Amino acid sequence: MKGLVGFLLAVGALGAGLYGVTRGGREPVLSGSRRRRSRGFRGHGEQRELKIFIDNDGDLYRQQTTPIHKNLVTKIAKGVYDKTKAEKLWGYLVEAGAKKYSKEYGSNEPGEWHRTFSVADRREVARELNEEFLTEQKLGNFDHLLPKKYQRA
């Protein structure tokens, strides 16, 4: 009996996979259809995964995160801080993190790293990193990175 139920479930799943649901009803979906299929992560969980990876990677922190902190703290002290440019700067870190994540946990094929995380996910992670930085900076956690001429007495 279990074998028959399993067979019926498999046939049902196969039948559901052959037809796609559209506004007008069900249409056959061919494997070679021209509809572009997205390969890769999409959504909040993937953004969280990338952000956690970037926060916990020692090389990325030492080589990129700390210099970005120092650069942005100095710009805030000078009064020339621009949020859109800062998010672009964080985007370079996120791109490096996505490349490293793809190399460690994904395929090692060249040119495949950008399909692992969507552009929207990477931009959102960059925005989150910038907001987190601004919050910490307001609390004074990066004052030690300021050049002497901008430090308070």
Side-chain angles (χ1 to χ4, degrees):
M1 184 68 178
K2 286 183 181 181
L4 178 63
V5 172
F7 174 76
L8 291 175
L9 287 174
V11 169
L14 179 63
L18 292 177
Y19 289 93
V21 178
T22 61
R23 279 190 211 161
R26 295 171 67 148
E27 294 180 1
V29 177
L30 303 174
S31 62
S33 68
R34 293 184 183 230
R35 188 181 332 169
R36 184 176 175 168
R37 296 181 188 181
S38 62
R39 296 182 300 167
F41 297 132
R42 303 289 183 265
H44 182 71
E46 290 74 26
Q47 294 168 9
R48 185 170 178 265
E49 179 76 17
L50 181 58
K51 185 173 180 314
I52 289 172
F53 179 79
I54 290 169
D55 286 342
N56 291 313
D57 188 75
D59 291 333
L60 287 175
Y61 186 82
R62 186 182 66 256
Q63 293 170 2
Q64 285 189 289
T65 306
T66 302
I68 289 172
H69 287 161
K70 188 172 185 176
N71 184 343
L72 293 178
V73 164
T74 305
K75 290 193 181 298
I76 290 171
K78 284 182 182 179
V80 295
Y81 174 81
D82 184 10
K83 184 177 180 179
T84 57
K85 289 181 181 178
E87 287 179 4
K88 186 175 181 179
L89 183 61
W90 286 110
Y92 295 124
L93 170 66
V94 172
E95 181 180 316
K99 285 180 182 180
K100 191 167 184 177
Y101 183 95
S102 180
K103 187 174 183 180
E104 288 184 21
Y105 301 111
S107 67
N108 287 330
E109 297 177 23
E112 290 293 318
W113 68 268
H114 66 280
R115 292 188 181 124
T116 307
F117 296 99
S118 70
V119 174
D121 288 342
R122 294 191 308 248
R123 283 187 185 144
E124 182 61 25
V125 171
R127 189 193 64 74
E128 287 176 15
L129 287 169
N130 190 43
E131 293 299 321
E132 184 179 289
F133 163 76
L134 289 174
T135 303
E136 293 294 319
Q137 189 273 333
K138 286 178 185 173
L139 295 173
N141 293 338
F142 298 118
D143 289 346
H144 66 283
L145 297 174
L146 277 170
K148 285 196 176 197
K149 67 180 183 179
Y150 296 112
Q151 288 181 358
R152 296 182 195 119

